[in-house]
Amino acid sequence: MGSIGAGLQEVKGRIARACAAAGRSAQSVTLLAVGKTFGADALRAAAAAGQRDFGENYVQEALPKIAALAGLRADLRWHLIGPLQSNKTRAVAEAFDWVHSVDRLKIAQRLAEQRPPGLAPLQLCLQVNVSGEASKSGVAPADLPALARAVAALPPGRVRLRGLMGIPEPAGDYEAQRAPHRALRELLAALNAEGLALDTLSMGMSADLEAAVAEGATIVRVGSAIFGARPAAHFYG
Ligand SMILES: *Cc1c(COP(=O)(O)O)cnc(C)c1O
């Protein structure tokens, strides 16, 4: 097995152990392989090892990789997890299956308008600023309910609101890692209690996936633990 296959096995083992500790089934967590800075060959190796869900941060970087793997298999799913500007929504609506980083209504409206009718609805998560630093993108928790209602009310068929994404500030200690994931879970529960049927919590990365699984993550986004370390200048957390 190549090192990417070995990395995938290792991460799947971590997810399975975290699920067992939380009394959850290992199938309840989807592993998203985050390929930023890594080329199409690395993604191909992951796909050959059975990986199906791929996360990318940058539209410009992702499109050639999506094209390069298009002939490989039809059942790969592409997730945008980085900031999305209005002028890139059309390309995203045409090429991706999921967008985790929606943080304003205008972006969701454009994605709904631009999603080609022949494709399955684009699956959306709202990115929430769970750590509260000014530097991070994401909707403030106080503004989340109104945004969620508005996105959920977009005409069905083109987009479907699935849940929330969080990118907390890195924390070394397990309990400190759990706190922002718990906050995101509670925000999702509050939306569900309002009648929005949301089932997705996109949270947890290489360093904190166990804490995220303990708090109910349904998608963990893992890059370096699968593909290896990125150059420091390319760390975008
Ligand atoms: C880079 C990135 C990840 C993966 O980070 P690792 O620490 O390499 O696992 C997950 N989510 C987002 C939004 C990222 O930018």
PDB file of all heavy atoms in Angstrom, residues 32 34 36 38 56-58 81-82 127 165-167 202 204-207 220-226 228 230 234-237, ligand 1:
ATOM      1  N   LEU A  32     -13.934  13.137   4.519  1.00  0.00           N
ATOM      2  CA  LEU A  32     -13.659  14.008   3.380  1.00  0.00           C
ATOM      3  C   LEU A  32     -12.143  14.172   3.291  1.00  0.00           C
ATOM      4  O   LEU A  32     -11.516  14.622   4.246  1.00  0.00           O
ATOM      5  CB  LEU A  32     -14.349  15.345   3.651  1.00  0.00           C
ATOM      6  CG  LEU A  32     -14.400  16.395   2.574  1.00  0.00           C
ATOM      7  CD1 LEU A  32     -15.060  15.838   1.333  1.00  0.00           C
ATOM      8  CD2 LEU A  32     -15.227  17.578   3.090  1.00  0.00           C
ATOM      9  N   VAL A  34      -9.103  16.121   2.155  1.00  0.00           N
ATOM     10  CA  VAL A  34      -8.863  17.517   1.769  1.00  0.00           C
ATOM     11  C   VAL A  34      -7.545  17.610   0.998  1.00  0.00           C
ATOM     12  O   VAL A  34      -6.470  17.382   1.546  1.00  0.00           O
ATOM     13  CB  VAL A  34      -8.828  18.422   3.014  1.00  0.00           C
ATOM     14  CG1 VAL A  34      -8.471  19.858   2.623  1.00  0.00           C
ATOM     15  CG2 VAL A  34     -10.181  18.394   3.727  1.00  0.00           C
ATOM     16  N   LYS A  36      -6.082  20.210  -0.776  1.00  0.00           N
ATOM     17  CA  LYS A  36      -5.432  21.484  -1.143  1.00  0.00           C
ATOM     18  C   LYS A  36      -3.910  21.343  -1.143  1.00  0.00           C
ATOM     19  O   LYS A  36      -3.355  20.697  -0.241  1.00  0.00           O
ATOM     20  CB  LYS A  36      -5.869  22.617  -0.218  1.00  0.00           C
ATOM     21  CG  LYS A  36      -5.442  22.438   1.201  1.00  0.00           C
ATOM     22  CD  LYS A  36      -5.854  23.642   2.057  1.00  0.00           C
ATOM     23  CE  LYS A  36      -5.566  23.342   3.496  1.00  0.00           C
ATOM     24  NZ  LYS A  36      -6.719  23.484   4.371  1.00  0.00           N
ATOM     25  N   PHE A  38      -2.151  19.533  -2.902  1.00  0.00           N
ATOM     26  CA  PHE A  38      -1.727  18.255  -3.463  1.00  0.00           C
ATOM     27  C   PHE A  38      -2.308  18.099  -4.859  1.00  0.00           C
ATOM     28  O   PHE A  38      -3.419  18.547  -5.140  1.00  0.00           O
ATOM     29  CB  PHE A  38      -2.144  17.096  -2.553  1.00  0.00           C
ATOM     30  CG  PHE A  38      -1.464  17.160  -1.224  1.00  0.00           C
ATOM     31  CD1 PHE A  38      -2.097  17.698  -0.121  1.00  0.00           C
ATOM     32  CD2 PHE A  38      -0.149  16.721  -1.089  1.00  0.00           C
ATOM     33  CE1 PHE A  38      -1.450  17.798   1.107  1.00  0.00           C
ATOM     34  CE2 PHE A  38       0.509  16.824   0.135  1.00  0.00           C
ATOM     35  CZ  PHE A  38      -0.135  17.360   1.231  1.00  0.00           C
ATOM     36  N   GLU A  56     -11.945  20.584  -1.376  1.00  0.00           N
ATOM     37  CA  GLU A  56     -10.988  21.546  -1.931  1.00  0.00           C
ATOM     38  C   GLU A  56     -11.318  22.935  -1.404  1.00  0.00           C
ATOM     39  O   GLU A  56     -12.488  23.278  -1.217  1.00  0.00           O
ATOM     40  CB  GLU A  56     -11.042  21.545  -3.460  1.00  0.00           C
ATOM     41  CG  GLU A  56     -10.467  20.270  -4.085  1.00  0.00           C
ATOM     42  CD  GLU A  56      -8.939  20.183  -3.969  1.00  0.00           C
ATOM     43  OE1 GLU A  56      -8.289  21.241  -3.824  1.00  0.00           O
ATOM     44  OE2 GLU A  56      -8.415  19.050  -4.001  1.00  0.00           O
ATOM     45  N   ASN A  57     -10.267  23.749  -1.189  1.00  0.00           N
ATOM     46  CA  ASN A  57     -10.463  25.098  -0.656  1.00  0.00           C
ATOM     47  C   ASN A  57     -10.603  26.160  -1.724  1.00  0.00           C
ATOM     48  O   ASN A  57     -11.234  27.183  -1.483  1.00  0.00           O
ATOM     49  CB  ASN A  57      -9.272  25.496   0.214  1.00  0.00           C
ATOM     50  CG  ASN A  57      -9.244  24.746   1.513  1.00  0.00           C
ATOM     51  OD1 ASN A  57      -9.079  23.528   1.514  1.00  0.00           O
ATOM     52  ND2 ASN A  57      -9.448  25.446   2.609  1.00  0.00           N
ATOM     53  N   TYR A  58      -9.933  25.980  -2.849  1.00  0.00           N
ATOM     54  CA  TYR A  58      -9.843  27.040  -3.856  1.00  0.00           C
ATOM     55  C   TYR A  58     -10.433  26.567  -5.169  1.00  0.00           C
ATOM     56  O   TYR A  58     -10.030  25.530  -5.697  1.00  0.00           O
ATOM     57  CB  TYR A  58      -8.379  27.461  -4.059  1.00  0.00           C
ATOM     58  CG  TYR A  58      -7.845  27.981  -2.773  1.00  0.00           C
ATOM     59  CD1 TYR A  58      -7.110  27.161  -1.934  1.00  0.00           C
ATOM     60  CD2 TYR A  58      -8.196  29.254  -2.345  1.00  0.00           C
ATOM     61  CE1 TYR A  58      -6.704  27.611  -0.704  1.00  0.00           C
ATOM     62  CE2 TYR A  58      -7.801  29.709  -1.116  1.00  0.00           C
ATOM     63  CZ  TYR A  58      -7.053  28.892  -0.298  1.00  0.00           C
ATOM     64  OH  TYR A  58      -6.671  29.327   0.935  1.00  0.00           O
ATOM     65  N   ILE A  81     -14.804  23.641   0.449  1.00  0.00           N
ATOM     66  CA  ILE A  81     -14.757  23.941   1.889  1.00  0.00           C
ATOM     67  C   ILE A  81     -14.097  25.283   2.169  1.00  0.00           C
ATOM     68  O   ILE A  81     -13.939  25.661   3.327  1.00  0.00           O
ATOM     69  CB  ILE A  81     -14.032  22.811   2.663  1.00  0.00           C
ATOM     70  CG1 ILE A  81     -12.583  22.652   2.190  1.00  0.00           C
ATOM     71  CG2 ILE A  81     -14.789  21.490   2.520  1.00  0.00           C
ATOM     72  CD1 ILE A  81     -11.775  21.679   3.044  1.00  0.00           C
ATOM     73  N   GLY A  82     -13.688  26.009   1.125  1.00  0.00           N
ATOM     74  CA  GLY A  82     -13.029  27.308   1.308  1.00  0.00           C
ATOM     75  C   GLY A  82     -13.966  28.446   0.941  1.00  0.00           C
ATOM     76  O   GLY A  82     -15.059  28.226   0.412  1.00  0.00           O
ATOM     77  N   GLN A 127     -21.455  27.928   6.985  1.00  0.00           N
ATOM     78  CA  GLN A 127     -20.251  28.013   7.812  1.00  0.00           C
ATOM     79  C   GLN A 127     -20.513  28.975   8.963  1.00  0.00           C
ATOM     80  O   GLN A 127     -20.900  30.124   8.747  1.00  0.00           O
ATOM     81  CB  GLN A 127     -19.064  28.487   6.980  1.00  0.00           C
ATOM     82  CG  GLN A 127     -17.786  28.551   7.795  1.00  0.00           C
ATOM     83  CD  GLN A 127     -16.584  28.969   6.971  1.00  0.00           C
ATOM     84  OE1 GLN A 127     -16.625  28.944   5.737  1.00  0.00           O
ATOM     85  NE2 GLN A 127     -15.522  29.363   7.643  1.00  0.00           N
ATOM     86  N   MET A 165     -21.097  23.928   9.055  1.00  0.00           N
ATOM     87  CA  MET A 165     -19.652  23.665   9.093  1.00  0.00           C
ATOM     88  C   MET A 165     -18.986  24.597  10.096  1.00  0.00           C
ATOM     89  O   MET A 165     -19.319  25.783  10.162  1.00  0.00           O
ATOM     90  CB  MET A 165     -18.984  23.885   7.734  1.00  0.00           C
ATOM     91  CG  MET A 165     -17.460  23.829   7.849  1.00  0.00           C
ATOM     92  SD  MET A 165     -16.530  23.838   6.305  1.00  0.00           S
ATOM     93  CE  MET A 165     -16.337  25.580   6.040  1.00  0.00           C
ATOM     94  N   GLY A 166     -18.013  24.074  10.838  1.00  0.00           N
ATOM     95  CA  GLY A 166     -17.219  24.901  11.740  1.00  0.00           C
ATOM     96  C   GLY A 166     -15.741  24.665  11.512  1.00  0.00           C
ATOM     97  O   GLY A 166     -15.318  23.548  11.206  1.00  0.00           O
ATOM     98  N   ILE A 167     -14.962  25.741  11.644  1.00  0.00           N
ATOM     99  CA  ILE A 167     -13.490  25.655  11.576  1.00  0.00           C
ATOM    100  C   ILE A 167     -12.954  26.339  12.830  1.00  0.00           C
ATOM    101  O   ILE A 167     -12.564  27.504  12.796  1.00  0.00           O
ATOM    102  CB  ILE A 167     -12.909  26.356  10.329  1.00  0.00           C
ATOM    103  CG1 ILE A 167     -13.669  25.984   9.061  1.00  0.00           C
ATOM    104  CG2 ILE A 167     -11.423  26.028  10.182  1.00  0.00           C
ATOM    105  CD1 ILE A 167     -13.185  26.720   7.806  1.00  0.00           C
ATOM    106  N   SER A 202     -20.346  19.311   9.674  1.00  0.00           N
ATOM    107  CA  SER A 202     -19.024  19.201   9.048  1.00  0.00           C
ATOM    108  C   SER A 202     -18.016  19.842   9.990  1.00  0.00           C
ATOM    109  O   SER A 202     -17.899  21.065  10.059  1.00  0.00           O
ATOM    110  CB  SER A 202     -19.057  19.923   7.691  1.00  0.00           C
ATOM    111  OG  SER A 202     -17.750  20.107   7.173  1.00  0.00           O
ATOM    112  N   GLY A 204     -14.150  18.938  12.424  1.00  0.00           N
ATOM    113  CA  GLY A 204     -13.059  18.030  12.762  1.00  0.00           C
ATOM    114  C   GLY A 204     -12.077  17.929  11.618  1.00  0.00           C
ATOM    115  O   GLY A 204     -12.476  17.786  10.459  1.00  0.00           O
ATOM    116  N   MET A 205     -10.788  18.048  11.934  1.00  0.00           N
ATOM    117  CA  MET A 205      -9.706  17.973  10.956  1.00  0.00           C
ATOM    118  C   MET A 205      -8.653  17.001  11.499  1.00  0.00           C
ATOM    119  O   MET A 205      -8.930  16.260  12.441  1.00  0.00           O
ATOM    120  CB  MET A 205      -9.123  19.376  10.712  1.00  0.00           C
ATOM    121  CG  MET A 205     -10.199  20.439  10.624  1.00  0.00           C
ATOM    122  SD  MET A 205      -9.799  22.021   9.834  1.00  0.00           S
ATOM    123  CE  MET A 205      -8.132  22.357  10.276  1.00  0.00           C
ATOM    124  N   SER A 206      -7.466  16.990  10.895  1.00  0.00           N
ATOM    125  CA  SER A 206      -6.451  16.011  11.315  1.00  0.00           C
ATOM    126  C   SER A 206      -6.200  16.038  12.820  1.00  0.00           C
ATOM    127  O   SER A 206      -6.055  14.994  13.454  1.00  0.00           O
ATOM    128  CB  SER A 206      -5.129  16.267  10.584  1.00  0.00           C
ATOM    129  OG  SER A 206      -5.267  16.012   9.207  1.00  0.00           O
ATOM    130  N   ALA A 207      -6.139  17.254  13.386  1.00  0.00           N
ATOM    131  CA  ALA A 207      -5.706  17.382  14.781  1.00  0.00           C
ATOM    132  C   ALA A 207      -6.820  17.142  15.795  1.00  0.00           C
ATOM    133  O   ALA A 207      -6.527  16.879  16.960  1.00  0.00           O
ATOM    134  CB  ALA A 207      -5.108  18.775  15.000  1.00  0.00           C
ATOM    135  N   VAL A 220     -15.997  14.557   8.646  1.00  0.00           N
ATOM    136  CA  VAL A 220     -14.722  15.114   9.109  1.00  0.00           C
ATOM    137  C   VAL A 220     -13.875  15.416   7.879  1.00  0.00           C
ATOM    138  O   VAL A 220     -13.888  14.669   6.897  1.00  0.00           O
ATOM    139  CB  VAL A 220     -13.968  14.183  10.091  1.00  0.00           C
ATOM    140  CG1 VAL A 220     -14.733  14.056  11.395  1.00  0.00           C
ATOM    141  CG2 VAL A 220     -13.708  12.813   9.486  1.00  0.00           C
ATOM    142  N   ARG A 221     -13.165  16.542   7.928  1.00  0.00           N
ATOM    143  CA  ARG A 221     -12.394  17.028   6.773  1.00  0.00           C
ATOM    144  C   ARG A 221     -10.915  16.876   7.082  1.00  0.00           C
ATOM    145  O   ARG A 221     -10.374  17.614   7.899  1.00  0.00           O
ATOM    146  CB  ARG A 221     -12.730  18.500   6.508  1.00  0.00           C
ATOM    147  CG  ARG A 221     -14.234  18.813   6.455  1.00  0.00           C
ATOM    148  CD  ARG A 221     -14.454  20.303   6.246  1.00  0.00           C
ATOM    149  NE  ARG A 221     -13.703  21.096   7.190  1.00  0.00           N
ATOM    150  CZ  ARG A 221     -14.183  21.576   8.337  1.00  0.00           C
ATOM    151  NH1 ARG A 221     -15.454  21.395   8.659  1.00  0.00           N
ATOM    152  NH2 ARG A 221     -13.414  22.262   9.161  1.00  0.00           N
ATOM    153  N   VAL A 222     -10.262  15.931   6.434  1.00  0.00           N
ATOM    154  CA  VAL A 222      -8.896  15.581   6.837  1.00  0.00           C
ATOM    155  C   VAL A 222      -7.937  15.687   5.654  1.00  0.00           C
ATOM    156  O   VAL A 222      -8.163  15.070   4.603  1.00  0.00           O
ATOM    157  CB  VAL A 222      -8.863  14.151   7.422  1.00  0.00           C
ATOM    158  CG1 VAL A 222      -7.442  13.781   7.830  1.00  0.00           C
ATOM    159  CG2 VAL A 222      -9.810  14.050   8.612  1.00  0.00           C
ATOM    160  N   GLY A 223      -6.891  16.497   5.828  1.00  0.00           N
ATOM    161  CA  GLY A 223      -5.890  16.667   4.781  1.00  0.00           C
ATOM    162  C   GLY A 223      -4.572  16.037   5.153  1.00  0.00           C
ATOM    163  O   GLY A 223      -4.207  14.957   4.679  1.00  0.00           O
ATOM    164  N   SER A 224      -3.815  16.698   6.048  1.00  0.00           N
ATOM    165  CA  SER A 224      -2.428  16.291   6.290  1.00  0.00           C
ATOM    166  C   SER A 224      -2.303  14.871   6.835  1.00  0.00           C
ATOM    167  O   SER A 224      -1.337  14.183   6.517  1.00  0.00           O
ATOM    168  CB  SER A 224      -1.735  17.300   7.209  1.00  0.00           C
ATOM    169  OG  SER A 224      -2.529  17.603   8.318  1.00  0.00           O
ATOM    170  N   ALA A 225      -3.253  14.400   7.620  1.00  0.00           N
ATOM    171  CA  ALA A 225      -3.140  13.035   8.158  1.00  0.00           C
ATOM    172  C   ALA A 225      -3.287  11.987   7.052  1.00  0.00           C
ATOM    173  O   ALA A 225      -2.907  10.830   7.245  1.00  0.00           O
ATOM    174  CB  ALA A 225      -4.173  12.797   9.257  1.00  0.00           C
ATOM    175  N   ILE A 226      -3.805  12.382   5.886  1.00  0.00           N
ATOM    176  CA  ILE A 226      -3.889  11.459   4.746  1.00  0.00           C
ATOM    177  C   ILE A 226      -2.734  11.687   3.780  1.00  0.00           C
ATOM    178  O   ILE A 226      -2.042  10.747   3.390  1.00  0.00           O
ATOM    179  CB  ILE A 226      -5.226  11.648   3.983  1.00  0.00           C
ATOM    180  CG1 ILE A 226      -6.415  11.322   4.878  1.00  0.00           C
ATOM    181  CG2 ILE A 226      -5.235  10.780   2.713  1.00  0.00           C
ATOM    182  CD1 ILE A 226      -7.771  11.685   4.257  1.00  0.00           C
ATOM    183  N   GLY A 228      -0.070  13.952   4.009  1.00  0.00           N
ATOM    184  CA  GLY A 228       1.219  14.425   4.499  1.00  0.00           C
ATOM    185  C   GLY A 228       1.167  15.927   4.758  1.00  0.00           C
ATOM    186  O   GLY A 228       0.171  16.581   4.497  1.00  0.00           O
ATOM    187  N   ARG A 230       1.592  19.867   4.552  1.00  0.00           N
ATOM    188  CA  ARG A 230       1.633  20.875   3.493  1.00  0.00           C
ATOM    189  C   ARG A 230       2.740  21.864   3.804  1.00  0.00           C
ATOM    190  O   ARG A 230       3.090  22.052   4.960  1.00  0.00           O
ATOM    191  CB  ARG A 230       0.306  21.653   3.456  1.00  0.00           C
ATOM    192  CG  ARG A 230      -0.879  20.867   2.962  1.00  0.00           C
ATOM    193  CD  ARG A 230      -2.136  21.734   2.953  1.00  0.00           C
ATOM    194  NE  ARG A 230      -2.536  22.164   4.273  1.00  0.00           N
ATOM    195  CZ  ARG A 230      -3.297  21.441   5.098  1.00  0.00           C
ATOM    196  NH1 ARG A 230      -3.749  20.260   4.723  1.00  0.00           N
ATOM    197  NH2 ARG A 230      -3.611  21.892   6.282  1.00  0.00           N
ATOM    198  N   HIS A 234       1.077  27.274   2.960  1.00  0.00           N
ATOM    199  CA  HIS A 234      -0.201  26.842   2.430  1.00  0.00           C
ATOM    200  C   HIS A 234      -1.125  26.347   3.519  1.00  0.00           C
ATOM    201  O   HIS A 234      -2.066  25.634   3.244  1.00  0.00           O
ATOM    202  CB  HIS A 234      -0.009  25.752   1.384  1.00  0.00           C
ATOM    203  CG  HIS A 234       0.571  26.284   0.123  1.00  0.00           C
ATOM    204  ND1 HIS A 234      -0.169  27.001  -0.783  1.00  0.00           N
ATOM    205  CD2 HIS A 234       1.833  26.250  -0.350  1.00  0.00           C
ATOM    206  CE1 HIS A 234       0.612  27.367  -1.787  1.00  0.00           C
ATOM    207  NE2 HIS A 234       1.828  26.925  -1.550  1.00  0.00           N
ATOM    208  N   PHE A 235      -0.862  26.716   4.756  1.00  0.00           N
ATOM    209  CA  PHE A 235      -1.801  26.313   5.795  1.00  0.00           C
ATOM    210  C   PHE A 235      -2.865  27.393   5.921  1.00  0.00           C
ATOM    211  O   PHE A 235      -2.571  28.536   6.213  1.00  0.00           O
ATOM    212  CB  PHE A 235      -1.124  26.092   7.142  1.00  0.00           C
ATOM    213  CG  PHE A 235      -2.119  25.658   8.160  1.00  0.00           C
ATOM    214  CD1 PHE A 235      -2.626  24.363   8.139  1.00  0.00           C
ATOM    215  CD2 PHE A 235      -2.628  26.561   9.080  1.00  0.00           C
ATOM    216  CE1 PHE A 235      -3.598  23.975   9.049  1.00  0.00           C
ATOM    217  CE2 PHE A 235      -3.596  26.175   9.985  1.00  0.00           C
ATOM    218  CZ  PHE A 235      -4.077  24.890   9.969  1.00  0.00           C
ATOM    219  N   TYR A 236      -4.087  27.012   5.685  1.00  0.00           N
ATOM    220  CA  TYR A 236      -5.177  27.977   5.752  1.00  0.00           C
ATOM    221  C   TYR A 236      -6.183  27.648   6.828  1.00  0.00           C
ATOM    222  O   TYR A 236      -7.187  28.304   6.954  1.00  0.00           O
ATOM    223  CB  TYR A 236      -5.934  28.044   4.414  1.00  0.00           C
ATOM    224  CG  TYR A 236      -5.045  28.326   3.252  1.00  0.00           C
ATOM    225  CD1 TYR A 236      -4.477  27.300   2.538  1.00  0.00           C
ATOM    226  CD2 TYR A 236      -4.774  29.632   2.901  1.00  0.00           C
ATOM    227  CE1 TYR A 236      -3.662  27.560   1.476  1.00  0.00           C
ATOM    228  CE2 TYR A 236      -3.962  29.901   1.838  1.00  0.00           C
ATOM    229  CZ  TYR A 236      -3.400  28.857   1.121  1.00  0.00           C
ATOM    230  OH  TYR A 236      -2.595  29.116   0.077  1.00  0.00           O
ATOM    231  N   GLY A 237      -5.938  26.558   7.593  1.00  0.00           N
ATOM    232  CA  GLY A 237      -6.803  26.163   8.704  1.00  0.00           C
ATOM    233  C   GLY A 237      -8.229  26.465   8.449  1.00  0.00           C
ATOM    234  O   GLY A 237      -9.083  26.569   9.237  1.00  0.00           O
TER     235      GLY A 237
HETATM  236  C1  LIG B   1      -7.050  22.438   5.219  1.00  0.00           C
HETATM  237  C2  LIG B   1      -8.413  22.263   5.754  1.00  0.00           C
HETATM  238  C3  LIG B   1      -8.798  21.067   6.359  1.00  0.00           C
HETATM  239  C4  LIG B   1      -7.865  19.907   6.596  1.00  0.00           C
HETATM  240  O1  LIG B   1      -6.859  20.284   7.482  1.00  0.00           O
HETATM  241  P1  LIG B   1      -5.803  19.206   8.051  1.00  0.00           P
HETATM  242  O2  LIG B   1      -5.324  19.811   9.281  1.00  0.00           O
HETATM  243  O3  LIG B   1      -4.759  19.069   7.000  1.00  0.00           O
HETATM  244  O4  LIG B   1      -6.527  17.938   8.252  1.00  0.00           O
HETATM  245  C5  LIG B   1     -10.121  20.965   6.781  1.00  0.00           C
HETATM  246  N1  LIG B   1     -11.004  21.959   6.628  1.00  0.00           N
HETATM  247  C6  LIG B   1     -10.661  23.126   6.058  1.00  0.00           C
HETATM  248  C7  LIG B   1     -11.681  24.193   5.910  1.00  0.00           C
HETATM  249  C8  LIG B   1      -9.352  23.322   5.608  1.00  0.00           C
HETATM  250  O5  LIG B   1      -9.026  24.485   5.056  1.00  0.00           O
END
